[in-house]
Each structure stands twice: as C-alpha cells, then as structure tokens.
Amino acid sequence: MNVCIAGGGKVGMYLAQSLLAHHHKITLIEPVEAQCRRLADLLDIPVVCGDSVSYDILRTAGVDQCDAFVAVTGSDEDNLIACQIAKQEFGVTRTVARASNPKNRELLHTLGVDTVVCGTDNLSHILEREIETNTIRQLLSLGGGTASLNEILLPENFKYAGKPIKDLPMPGDAILVSITRDTEFIIPHGSTVLLPWDRILCLTQDDTLYLLTEEWGLNSL
C-alpha cells in the first residue's frame, strides 16, 4: 500500500514506523526543515519539506499515486483541507485525518474525510483496515472499531489453492464465515478446499486481518 502522511511529529513518525514494519511504501510531508532531515535519516523514506495544504507540495509528494492520504498535523483545519485536496484534486481513494479536538470528528467526516481518528494508539491498524483494495474490502466495522467483517477475493495465483482450510495458517482471531464460488454459497468447514476467485467473508479482530493476509500472501497484490 502506498501511503502519504502529512505531519512528521510524534504521531506521523509513529505511524510511518508502524506501516513500514508492515512493508508499506511511505512518503512524509513535514514543514520544518530540521525535522525533515531527521525523519529522512531515521526512517530512510522520501520526506517532502513543505505545507501539506499546498497543491504543489502534494503533487511533489506523489499523492496522485497513493492508495491513502493521512493527515496527522496538529491542526484539525489543515488536516481537513489537505484531505480535501488529496481526494478532490488528486483522486486519492481513502483519506484519514486526525482530530485533535473530538468535537471536530463529525464535522471532518461530514466535509468529506473518509475516516476521522481521535486517538492515535491504533491508527495504523485502523488505516490498514479502512483501505479497500482489489483483494480485500471491509464490509462492516464492529466492536467500536476493534473488529471487522471483510470480503477477501482469492487471486488466481493463491498459494494455498486446493488445500483444505484446516491446513491453512490462521493467525490471531479470524473466522471464515462463508465462501461464494460462482453462484454457489458455501459454509466453510475444516475440510473445505479454497480455490482461486473464491469470495470469502472473514470476521477478524483488531490487527488480525493484516496478519492473515500476510500469511496468505495477499499483501503484495
């Protein structure tokens, strides 16, 4: 996943480190030059020095190539504007903004930000869970954002094709709810075999979705 993060403070740096550990491609935007140099040296990623509400800076950061844009500056107003530019001018599929003031959460969402986060502890997991790809799509958020129901489309080169579910790695708390194969609806059991192009409904908790897709080789798709 290609992600641009606006804001290179503690929250932005933590988020970048967490996503890098999960093998995502990260670009940071930070207005303070000294902090830009520090982040570039520490994280070894592209860091664009400038204001995240600038069209030219977002273009330089390659926002038009991003799967997600995340604004975690200390200004709720700047986070909103940056997300609006990313979505409206550069066509970013998913925008995520940090709201320092919880009272602004609903406002940011109403004005076009896809996901608004007040806390920061689970920001990386929330981001990964919110991003829809050709392979994985979140259908429903449950338990106050601690769990989700997801649809997983198994690719043509699925490495566990033809193997029964009981022999597949199943990390963390994950439950396969159903399988749709062409027009056939299947309730999965341990002996059920998975095939390419199966659509699986999967209930996962917290960051288990990432662990599952990593084990199944879906993250690079």
Side-chain angles (χ1 to χ4, degrees), residues 136-153:
I136 305 163
R137 186 163 62 99
Q138 185 189 52
L139 301 179
L140 183 65
S141 179
L142 302 167
T146 62
S148 59
L149 180 66
N150 308 277
E151 181 185 68
I152 300 176
L153 174 62

Side-chain angles (χ1 to χ4, degrees), residues 94 96 114-115 125-132 138 141:
R94 298 293 292 183
V96 180
D114 295 306
T115 304
H125 300 325
I126 290 171
L127 174 61
E128 289 184 317
R129 194 166 56 240
E130 289 291 335
I131 297 302
E132 295 186 0
Q138 185 189 52
S141 179

Side-chain angles (χ1 to χ4, degrees), residues 73-96:
T73 75
S75 168
D76 291 359
E77 180 181 357
D78 285 353
N79 291 341
L80 169 62
I81 294 172
C83 284
Q84 288 178 325
I85 296 173
K87 180 173 285 288
Q88 296 171 11
E89 300 296 329
F90 294 98
V92 176
T93 304
R94 298 293 292 183
T95 55
V96 180

Side-chain angles (χ1 to χ4, degrees), residues 6-7 29 31 50-54 58 69-86 96-100 104 108 113:
I29 300 174
D51 195 331
S52 59
V53 300
S54 165
L58 295 184
F69 180 82
V70 187
V72 290
T73 75
S75 168
D76 291 359
E77 180 181 357
D78 285 353
N79 291 341
L80 169 62
I81 294 172
C83 284
Q84 288 178 325
I85 296 173
V96 180
R98 175 194 179 197
S100 300
N104 292 334
L108 266 66
V113 179

